[in-house]
Amino acid sequence: MPISLALALTLILAGAAAAGLVAMALSQLGAVNLATTRPTTTEVLEIVKISLAVVAGLGGVVALVVAYRKQRVTEAGESREQAKLFNERFTTAASQLGNDSPAVRLAGVHAMAALADDWEGGRQMCIDVLCAYLRMPPSPEPDAGTDQTERTTWLAMGEVRSTIWRLIATHLKADARTPWHGADLDFTGVTITNDIDFSNTVFPSGIIQFNGAEFSGSEVSFTGAQFSGGTVWFGGAKFSGGTVRFGGAKFSGGEVWFDEAKFSGSTVWFGGAKFSGGEVWFGEAKFSGGEVWFGGAEFSGGTVRFSEAEFSGGEVSFTGAKFSGGEVWFGEAKFSGGEVGFTDAKFSEGAIWFGGAEFSGGTVRFTEAKFSGGEVWFGGAEFSGGTVRFTEAKFSESAIWFGGAEFSGGEVWFDGVEFSGGEVWFDGAKFSGGEVGFTGAKFSGGAVGFDTVADWSHPPADWPAQAPGLTLPPAPAPAPGPDS
């Protein structure tokens, strides 16, 4: 506001405060009758001193206001000068990034990163420039017979890209000197040909985009990364080669999206990862080759979704994984090839859903899995081909539901399974084809119910004569005789 108005308001407020203090003091002294009581000389002098002190205090307040305004003006000038300097540095670094010389571009990369460290207000803009450089398609590799100088230049340009990846990853580390945590990073459509180390990085917020990125031959590591907030997108990414590692990563919040991603050749590792919160999406992803490993992963919370994913090749493994909470969804997924394995997995809490899934090929294994709690749902699943194995699995507490499932082809094996507790229900299931076998299964407790199946025209094989907890459909009535 104008200085005159600021001073006027200050004087009014200060005067009001002084008057209030005087009134408070007089109220404590009680009523004074000036007609009968006259102040002494000393008292008059004290009153004068107090008056002068009040005036001096008001003057001090005015001086403080003026000094504050001067400081503000000085700071504003310094801020403008600093902004001017930052803009000049930005312009210089950006021009270096566009230089034909790889050495000059490399200097521009370091200059832009240093500016992002110093300029908090313009940090995102600097990061956007570095990400935009990575999104620009690299020049194709020169032929072997090309002039050596041209090939050297091409290799040097690749070093520029490698340096950008390294600097970004360094600033995302948990112990980064000047962290860029929470910044948005846009790598949409990049072709990753460099090894990238994002291990032990932290994603507390922000949006990280690898949408449509192509992983064709390099190694990208998110080992030990912490996803506690924000969103990381791999939607539509292509994993056709190389390795992407999430081993030991911690997913405690936020979202990581692999929806519609294509896994045709890469190895993607989630071994030992911990899912205690947040969501990881593989919805409509296509697994036609390569390997995706969740071996030894711990699911204690959050949600992992493979809804409507297509498994036509490759391998997805949950070997030794621990499901003690949260949810894993394979609802309406299509299993036409490849292998999905839950060998030796432990289900103690939480839920895993295969509702509406289609099993027409490939193999899904629950071999030696332990079901001591939680729920596994196959409601409405269609078994028309392929193989699903529960060989030597142990059911002691969990609830397994095959309600409304259709067994028209393929194989579902419960050979060697131990039913000592929990519940396995086939309400409304249809057994019209294929093979369902219980060879060597042991029934010592719990409930295994087939009494309300909808179609029993092709019943499972190898039933025991009688077993605790096992209920079968009622025997069909005998056909009427000629005399009936």
Side-chain angles (χ1 to χ4, degrees), residues 119-144:
W119 190 12
E120 186 174 357
R123 180 171 298 163
Q124 184 63 60
M125 181 171 61
C126 297
I127 294 173
D128 288 343
V129 171
L130 295 175
C131 292
Y133 187 99
L134 294 173
R135 291 198 305 272
M136 292 187 295
S139 302
E141 182 176 358
D143 297 332

Side-chain angles (χ1 to χ4, degrees), residues 7-19:
L7 288 174
L9 290 176
T10 301
L11 287 173
I12 292 172
L13 291 174

Side-chain angles (χ1 to χ4, degrees), residues 19-20 49 51 56 94 117 240 248 273 297 336 340 438 456-457 472:
K49 289 180 182 180
S51 301
D117 288 344
S240 57
S336 59
V340 179
F438 286 79
W456 198 241
S457 60
L472 299 177

Side-chain angles (χ1 to χ4, degrees), residues 164-418:
I164 295 176
W165 283 116
R166 178 176 56 80
L167 288 173
I168 291 176
T170 298
H171 284 85
L172 294 176
K173 300 285 186 182
D175 58 352
R177 180 176 299 178
T178 304
W180 293 354
H181 303 155
D184 295 335
L185 302 171
D186 188 357
F187 305 119
T188 301
V190 298
T191 299
I192 298 177
T193 57
N194 311 98
D195 292 345
I196 307 171
D197 183 13
F198 282 104
S199 60
N200 299 314
T201 48
V202 179
F203 299 91
S205 59
I207 299 175
I208 317 298
Q209 299 189 64
F210 286 91
N211 292 335
E214 185 171 348
F215 300 83
S216 57
S218 58
E219 181 167 324
V220 181
S221 176
F222 289 89
T223 302
Q226 298 179 31
F227 298 89
S228 57
T231 304
V232 182
W233 293 85
F234 290 88
K238 299 176 182 177
F239 298 86
S240 57
T243 303
V244 182
R245 299 182 183 276
F246 291 86
K250 298 178 181 178
F251 298 86
S252 58
E255 298 178 349
V256 181
W257 293 77
F258 290 87
D259 56 311
E260 299 184 9
K262 298 175 175 64
F263 298 87
S264 59
S266 291
T267 298
V268 183
W269 290 85
F270 289 87
K274 295 178 173 59
F275 299 86
S276 59
E279 297 184 350
V280 181
W281 295 76
F282 290 86
E284 300 184 41
K286 293 177 173 59
F287 298 86
S288 59
E291 300 175 346
V292 180
W293 288 86
F294 291 85
E298 297 181 11
F299 299 85
S300 59
T303 303
V304 181
R305 293 183 180 271
F306 291 85
S307 304
E308 300 184 42
E310 297 181 11
F311 299 87
S312 59
E315 183 176 356
V316 180
S317 175
F318 292 84
T319 301
K322 299 177 181 178
F323 298 86
S324 58
E327 297 180 346
V328 181
W329 290 76
F330 287 86
E332 300 184 13
K334 296 177 174 62
F335 299 87
S336 59
E339 183 170 323
V340 179
F342 294 87
T343 301
D344 198 34
K346 297 174 177 61
F347 300 85
S348 58
E349 285 295 340
I352 181 167
W353 298 78
F354 288 87
E358 299 178 10
F359 297 87
S360 59
T363 302
V364 180
R365 298 180 184 274
F366 291 89
T367 306
E368 297 183 3
K370 297 175 178 62
F371 298 87
S372 59
E375 299 176 345
V376 182
W377 291 80
F378 287 88
E382 298 179 9
F383 298 87
S384 59
T387 302
V388 179
R389 291 188 176 275
F390 290 88
T391 305
E392 297 185 10
K394 294 178 174 60
F395 296 87
S396 58
E397 283 297 333
S398 295
I400 318 296
W401 294 88
F402 288 87
E406 297 185 13
F407 298 87
S408 59
E411 301 175 353
V412 182
W413 296 101
F414 292 87
D415 44 320
V417 169
E418 296 182 13

Side-chain angles (χ1 to χ4, degrees), residues 424-465:
V424 182
W425 294 102
F426 291 83
D427 299 19
K430 299 178 180 179
F431 294 87
S432 59
E435 295 184 48
V436 181
F438 286 79
T439 304
K442 301 175 183 178
F443 299 84
S444 60
V448 182
F450 291 86
D451 50 323
T452 57
V453 296
D455 187 338
W456 198 241
S457 60
H458 199 91
D462 299 320
W463 288 109

Side-chain angles (χ1 to χ4, degrees), residues 96-97 101-111 156 159-160 163:
Q96 288 176 321
L97 284 172
S101 169
V104 176
R105 289 194 183 190
L106 194 59
V109 169
H110 285 283
E159 182 61 28
V160 174
T163 300

Side-chain angles (χ1 to χ4, degrees), residues 54-88:
V54 170
V55 173
L58 294 175
V61 171
V62 171
L64 285 174
V65 171
V66 173
Y68 173 73
R69 289 297 293 261
K70 286 183 178 180
Q71 180 65 24
R72 287 290 300 275
V73 171
T74 302
E75 290 177 354
E78 292 176 352
S79 179
R80 285 192 295 271
E81 287 298 320
Q82 190 177 50
K84 181 180 179 181
L85 176 61
F86 285 148
N87 285 320
E88 290 175 352

